[in-house]
Amino acid sequence: MSFSLIGIFAVILEVVRPYLGLIGLLAIIELGLVILAFRKGNKQQCSLNLKRAIGVGIVAFVVLLLIVPMLTGARHSNLASVIDYLALFGVSLGGAIAVALVIWPLLHVVTTD
Amino acid sequence: MSNKNQTDTVDLNRRQFMGIAAVGALGAGFFGLSPFTQAEAKPLATNAKIVIIGAGAAGISLANRLARGTSGAQIQIIDSRERHLYQPGLTLIATGSWQRSSVVDSNARYIPKSVEWIKSDVTQVIPELNQVTLVSGQTLNYDYLLVASGLELAFDQIEGMTPDLIGQNGIGCVYDTPENAEGTWREINQFVQNGGSGIFTRAPGAIKCAGAPLKVAMLTEHLLREQGNRDAANMSYTSPGTGLFSQPDVDQFLKTSFPEREIDLHWQHRLVAIDADLKVASFATPDGVVKRDYDFIHVVPPMRAVKAVRESTLAWQDGDFSGWLEVDRHTLQHQRFSNVFGVGDCVGTPIGKTAATVKAQVPVAVQNLLRVLEGRVPDARFNGYTSCPLITERGQAMLVEFDYDLNMVPSFGFINPLKEQWVPWIMKDKMLRGAYNAMLRGRI
């Protein structure tokens, strides 16, 4: 298979275009939290919060596995092929990683030493 | 960019309307490492006057590609419509999955600034004089003409039927406006709640998105099952011929699936009249006119090219495509007027009046026009690609892609086009609108 890289990005851009403002706002907030977290330092606390964030990510992964089909107006019984299950796994994993990345700096900022 | 590279770009783009959407959904990064990175071609310097008729999916996509592919050209696009409709979404509105607002957009968002938008409609095309006449009486001259005028719904060929009836008295139709798609959903929902007799028709001849009537029937049947009301409804599908779908493997699948879902099939039935008050539909059959009562009927009107094309010398004068724009099916260049090209629903070619077809046609037409502008022979070829995410129930679809030869041309070999799956549903529900918008901007 061959694809135009620009074409792929163009499609992704159009899909997320309605949410660009929200995504930008979240990115700025996240960036601010990351800066605050790094300024706070404390490697031991950082490691602990990272583990906590991963834990939240794992929970999010399981939740997403359960609800993503419903979010698309489908049911788990509609998943009928390996591709379907791989897609569900991939979307859930991506969502879980995003959740963990968002949670980690937040945890680090709000937790006390 | 060299001509060879231009050809490569067309070849890369034209098959991938569905594919790129899926890649976006499934992780573009893996494929992003591909060496096939599209580069912008150097614009062709020209002072040609190029007129585009129609600002639908095809017209706007043409305008964007030509605006970037040329410098110095005077490009005009003619269409009075301010509103842009994402027509592939009408089926989802009519079956309750989407809201009306999901398909309504603005042409102004997509027409490039360098293209002059003439907000009028064409009443006459005189290719012998290189002229088009507008509703206002104004005449425009052109050096090159791109016809992307779409088609019109011929409700008048069904006695007693008008678009005003859609959304009342059990009448639905997914081919008209978003408002009428919404009205169709009201009628389908009522049928799902109350049961009764449901008739799902299909018009003869070339129609846009020939999968839509099938999707409406299958989604309605699914909704009845979900409601626990399937036993209260009789469903039938009427075909003007002896098939359900032009691609033979899909046709066979549907001919098995519909009876399994207790949707009766009636062959060689053409809807010719409707009595909205009495809820009676009349069908022309080999045995004469048959009248049937209904509680819900999905009306699919015959379709034809717009009058300005149909009644001009641009149209096929006879044969299977009589009245549609006469173009070479591969180069999309007019067969008698070499400075005219056609794209989209208006062209008289076999199969494929879909947005996916437009996606495949536009790069070919633009490249061939650029070749003609350079005094060269058109060399890009359209293979008839069309695609239909054939929704079989809410949450499942089949990703069907095929060409003029009715051979399957799947963008992804690992997605079985004859298997009902979740991923094609996600593509239809979540991704194809993005792919469509990227197509409008001439980016894919």
Side-chain angles (χ1 to χ4, degrees), chain B residues 254-441:
Chain B
L254 292 166
K255 282 176 174 171
T256 303
S257 173
F258 271 48
E260 284 175 355
R261 298 173 73 159
E262 296 185 4
I263 304 173
D264 298 331
L265 295 171
H266 296 274
W267 306 119
Q268 296 180 297
H269 274 53
R270 180 169 57 89
L271 180 64
V272 291
I274 197 160
D275 187 325
D277 294 329
L278 295 177
K279 291 190 171 182
V280 175
S282 300
F283 293 87
T285 75
D287 301 323
V289 173
V290 173
K291 290 183 182 292
R292 298 183 57 202
D293 297 332
Y294 64 83
D295 294 290
F296 172 77
I297 185 167
H298 183 239
V299 174
V300 178
M303 301 180 197
R304 60 195 175 205
V306 298
K307 190 176 177 184
V309 171
R310 193 173 73 240
E311 296 185 354
S312 78
T313 51
L314 288 176
W316 288 94
Q317 302 303 302
D318 51 36
D320 291 343
F321 305 117
S322 180
W324 299 94
L325 186 73
E326 181 185 337
V327 294
D328 178 275
R329 66 177 62 181
H330 294 296
T331 65
L332 304 174
Q333 185 179 33
H334 200 280
Q335 306 219 100
R336 287 173 285 119
F337 301 99
S338 61
N339 62 338
V340 177
F341 290 81
V343 170
D345 292 348
C346 65
V347 299
T349 57
I351 69 171
K353 296 191 184 302
T354 67
T357 297
V358 168
K359 162 67 198 76
Q361 288 175 332
V362 167
V364 172
V366 169
Q367 176 167 326
N368 284 338
L369 173 58
L370 295 178
R371 296 268 303 180
V372 170
L373 282 166
E374 291 177 307
R376 305 168 76 177
V377 176
D379 65 349
R381 289 173 68 80
F382 170 59
N383 69 352
Y385 175 85
T386 192
S387 174
C388 175
L390 191 62
I391 302 168
T392 55
E393 64 178 60
R394 195 177 281 182
Q396 274 192 334
M398 293 157 57
L399 184 54
V400 178
E401 301 165 90
F402 55 101
D403 62 13
Y404 278 142
D405 297 327
L406 305 181
N407 292 324
M408 291 286 198
V409 286
S411 294
F412 295 94
F414 52 81
I415 296 181
N416 182 349
L418 294 175
K419 185 174 177 63
E420 299 163 80
Q421 298 176 80
W422 177 54
V423 165
W425 162 260
I426 301 173
M427 291 171 64
K428 171 73 178 174
D429 189 42
K430 305 291 182 195
M431 297 301 299
L432 287 186
R433 178 68 197 271
Y436 178 90
N437 288 352
M439 176 190 80
L440 289 183
R441 297 184 196 278

Side-chain angles (χ1 to χ4, degrees), chain B residues 74-301:
Chain B
Q74 183 189 351
I75 305 171
Q76 296 173 314
I77 188 166
I78 307 168
D79 202 316
S80 63
R81 293 171 299 181
E82 302 269 357
R83 192 165 80 153
H84 189 92
L85 300 179
Y86 174 63
Q87 294 185 55
L90 293 178
T91 312
L92 292 174
I93 298 173
T95 50
S97 291
W98 280 16
Q99 298 298 310
R100 183 175 59 180
S101 58
S102 304
V103 303
V104 179
D105 209 331
S106 158
N107 275 340
R109 287 184 64 211
Y110 300 96
I111 295 176
K113 296 281 184 287
S114 60
V115 171
E116 183 188 357
W117 180 10
I118 299 173
K119 294 179 184 177
S120 184
D121 290 308
V122 173
T123 55
Q124 192 179 18
V125 184
I126 312 171
E128 294 83 358
L129 300 176
N130 292 339
Q131 278 183 353
V132 296
T133 306
L134 307 182
V135 172
S136 60
Q138 182 188 355
T139 298
L140 294 178
N141 295 303
Y142 61 80
D143 298 318
Y144 297 91
L145 180 68
L146 294 169
V147 184
S149 53
L151 53 70
E152 63 182 32
L153 306 175
F155 285 109
D156 58 321
Q157 291 185 15
I158 302 168
E159 187 186 333
M161 180 64 199
T162 66
D164 299 342
L165 293 172
I166 300 168
Q168 49 184 301
N169 285 23
I171 296 175
C173 175
V174 296
Y175 285 101
D176 203 41
T177 61
E179 292 74 19
N180 281 340
E182 212 169 45
T184 299
W185 167 234
R186 284 197 302 273
E187 297 302 317
I188 286 179
N189 195 33
Q190 198 168 352
F191 174 61
V192 167
Q193 303 301 323
N194 301 334
S197 175
I199 302 175
F200 299 80
T201 69
R202 202 278 198 200
I207 62 171
K208 68 168 84 184
C209 188
L214 299 160
K215 294 178 206 175
V216 173
M218 289 189 284
L219 282 165
T220 304
E221 195 275 337
H222 179 236
L223 289 167
L224 281 161
R225 271 189 283 132
E226 292 289 293
Q227 187 68 26
N229 218 13
R230 184 64 184 88
D231 291 340
N234 297 313
M235 292 182 66
S236 60
Y237 188 91
T238 63
S239 169
T242 56
L244 292 175
F245 200 83
S246 52
Q247 205 288 329
D249 298 324
V250 178
D251 185 55
Q252 194 51 53
F253 168 86
L254 292 166
K255 282 176 174 171
T256 303
S257 173
F258 271 48
E260 284 175 355
R261 298 173 73 159
E262 296 185 4
I263 304 173
D264 298 331
L265 295 171
H266 296 274
W267 306 119
Q268 296 180 297
H269 274 53
R270 180 169 57 89
L271 180 64
V272 291
I274 197 160
D275 187 325
D277 294 329
L278 295 177
K279 291 190 171 182
V280 175
S282 300
F283 293 87
T285 75
D287 301 323
V289 173
V290 173
K291 290 183 182 292
R292 298 183 57 202
D293 297 332
Y294 64 83
D295 294 290
F296 172 77
I297 185 167
H298 183 239
V299 174
V300 178

Side-chain angles (χ1 to χ4, degrees), chain A residues 1-12 14-15 17 68-69 71-75 77-85 87-88 91, chain B residues 12 16 20 23 28 31-32 34 36 38 109 226 393-396 411-412 414 419-423 425 429-431 434 437-438 441 443-444:
Chain A
M1 287 181 293
S2 51
F3 296 94
S4 151
L5 192 59
I6 290 174
I8 292 166
F9 286 141
V11 172
I12 294 170
E14 293 298 335
V15 170
R17 191 186 286 273
V68 163
L71 294 177
T72 68
R75 294 176 172 179
S77 59
N78 292 128
L79 275 69
S81 66
V82 174
I83 297 301
D84 287 347
Y85 284 101
L88 176 61
V91 168
Chain B
L12 293 176
Q16 308 302 344
I20 286 176
V23 172
F31 296 103
S34 155
F36 297 94
Q38 179 182 342
R109 287 184 64 211
E226 292 289 293
E393 64 178 60
R394 195 177 281 182
Q396 274 192 334
S411 294
F412 295 94
F414 52 81
K419 185 174 177 63
E420 299 163 80
Q421 298 176 80
W422 177 54
V423 165
W425 162 260
D429 189 42
K430 305 291 182 195
M431 297 301 299
N437 288 352
R441 297 184 196 278
R443 294 297 182 187
I444 62 168

Side-chain angles (χ1 to χ4, degrees), chain A residues 49-111:
Chain A
N49 284 327
L50 189 60
K51 285 176 185 167
R52 286 173 177 161
I54 289 171
V56 174
I58 290 169
V59 172
F61 176 69
V62 173
V63 171
L64 287 169
L65 280 177
L66 294 173
I67 68 166
V68 163
M70 285 179 280
L71 294 177
T72 68
R75 294 176 172 179
H76 282 88
S77 59
N78 292 128
L79 275 69
S81 66
V82 174
I83 297 301
D84 287 347
Y85 284 101
L86 281 175
L88 176 61
F89 184 86
V91 168
S92 301
L93 184 63
I97 291 170
V99 167
L101 287 174
V102 168
I103 287 290
W104 171 75
L106 186 64
L107 282 174
H108 200 55
V109 168
V110 298
T111 51

